[in-house]
Amino acid sequence: TEYDVKAAFLFNFARFVTWPDSAFANADERLVIGVIGKDPFGPILRETIQDKMAQNRSLTVRNIESSKDIRGCHILFVGAATREDVSKIVSQVGENPVLTVSEQDHFCQLGGMVNFVLVSRRVRFEINPHAVERSGLSVSSRLLKLARIVEDP
């Protein structure tokens, strides 16, 4: 399904994005995928990452109620939200080392980093590399080759 594919992409983002050491409290800290807003994955995302590693870290999923609770996330999936909510969330993340991902129209133009899009009923993604760089993250060239690049407005 669409969300099986998106969950697999989120796992691969964890594998092909590099976080600065300062993004983790210690070497054993898990890489946290936060889901804020309506969670479209259900159990799929947890099942996809179960018993898997990325960046030599185990992974976990955390549902987030409010943008005030994003601390400790490394990947933040922004579910269904209003345009104003997206802007607020992106603003709160700021330049922290958190990879923001969504499926909202124009997410990358609003300052988000990665956006899922459907092209001929297939899941693809676009990346705003400048937003990624501002956060101190680095994206593998292998991942960038698969993406449609979106520039800042």
Side-chain angles (χ1 to χ4, degrees):
T1 68
E2 176 182 342
Y3 287 96
D4 288 313
V5 173
K6 289 178 180 180
F9 271 127
L10 285 173
F11 169 64
N12 281 306
F13 296 159
R15 292 178 56 221
F16 292 103
V17 171
T18 305
W19 283 262
D21 290 339
S22 62
F24 300 94
N26 58 58
D28 297 329
E29 185 178 356
R30 291 174 174 236
L31 194 147
V32 177
I33 301 173
V35 179
I36 190 168
K38 186 173 189 259
D39 181 354
F41 295 99
I44 295 169
L45 182 55
R46 282 179 174 79
E47 291 167 2
T48 299
I49 66 163
Q50 186 174 359
D51 301 325
K52 293 194 176 134
M53 303 278 287
Q55 309 290 327
N56 294 317
R57 297 177 183 278
S58 57
L59 298 141
T60 191
V61 175
R62 194 169 87 206
N63 288 85
I64 298 172
E65 299 297 319
S66 160
S67 58
K68 294 178 285 188
D69 302 324
I70 59 176
R71 190 169 196 73
C73 287
H74 302 98
I75 297 175
L76 181 65
F77 180 84
V78 181
T82 67
R83 208 172 163 87
E84 294 78 27
D85 288 340
V86 168
S87 294
K88 180 180 174 183
I89 292 165
V90 167
S91 175
Q92 279 202 280
V93 168
E95 294 181 1
N96 290 306
V98 178
L99 183 73
T100 55
V101 183
S102 189
E103 55 188 3
Q104 304 283 330
D105 289 338
H106 310 293
F107 183 70
C108 287
Q109 290 86 348
L110 294 170
M113 298 175 198
V114 180
N115 192 39
F116 291 122
V117 293
L118 291 177
V119 178
S120 301
R121 297 188 330 191
R122 298 189 75 176
V123 178
R124 300 286 186 241
F125 61 95
E126 51 192 21
I127 293 179
N128 180 334
H130 297 295
V132 173
E133 288 171 16
R134 281 192 298 270
S135 69
L137 304 175
S138 61
V139 178
S140 162
S141 61
R142 293 170 51 192
L143 191 60
L144 287 172
K145 285 180 188 176
L146 299 173
R148 185 178 132 236
I149 303 300
V150 176
E151 298 296 331
D152 284 333

